[in-house]
Amino acid sequence: QVQLVESGGGLVQAGGSLRLSCAASGRTFSSYAISWFRQAPGKEREFVAGITWSGGSTNYAHSVKGRFTISRDNAKNTVYLQMNSLKPEDTAVYYCARQPGSDYIGPLTLKYDYWGQGTQVTVSS
């Protein structure tokens, strides 16, 4: 059974920073691509960033490119999302998700098989 647990969310002022963590159980964590998604109230879940199993490739939504950085530490079974220059429109519940392959890091939610419970990020203006 795979479990993904997000942490690091909170309340921050516009322009501030947060670092989210996604901790995964399972010995094969390093074999899978991981992505971050977010969902704001009344909106569909949207792709934020993804990283391949090796960390060699990353992908970002246009809205966060240059402000967010995804990384992973396979020794710790953890993926991180460093979020800088936060804006009120970044307010959402952030989820990490596992892709049952090693290389897909795109926005199609059906490609992901396990999801965390989410962590709330609120950016005040």
Side-chain angles (χ1 to χ4, degrees):
Q1 181 73 14
V2 175
Q3 282 191 313
L4 301 175
V5 180
E6 302 96 336
S7 62
L11 173 64
V12 64
Q13 289 188 331
S17 298
L18 283 174
R19 188 176 81 156
L20 305 184
S21 297
C22 171
S25 62
R27 292 176 295 173
T28 59
F29 171 79
S30 61
S31 300
Y32 300 101
I34 299 287
S35 290
W36 286 94
F37 289 76
R38 66 187 182 187
Q39 188 166 20
K43 294 188 177 181
E44 292 187 355
R45 191 167 297 190
E46 65 172 357
F47 173 81
V48 176
I51 188 165
T52 54
W53 70 274
S54 67
S57 292
T58 57
N59 185 28
Y60 295 93
H62 178 75
S63 59
V64 306
K65 195 171 292 185
R67 300 187 298 123
F68 291 10
T69 302
I70 188 170
S71 62
R72 68 190 296 162
D73 184 339
N74 287 338
K76 296 183 178 180
N77 279 13
T78 303
V79 171
Y80 303 99
L81 185 68
Q82 178 67 42
M83 306 186 296
N84 299 328
S85 302
L86 283 161
K87 304 175 181 180
E89 50 263 44
D90 294 318
T91 295
V93 177
Y94 283 71
Y95 302 88
C96 62
R98 189 191 80 164
Q99 206 280 316
S102 59
D103 293 324
Y104 179 78
I105 47 174
L108 298 178
T109 57
L110 292 178
K111 292 279 192 178
Y112 297 85
D113 60 352
Y114 286 97
W115 295 76
Q117 83 291 346
T119 185
Q120 176 70 47
V121 172
T122 303
V123 184
S124 63
S125 57

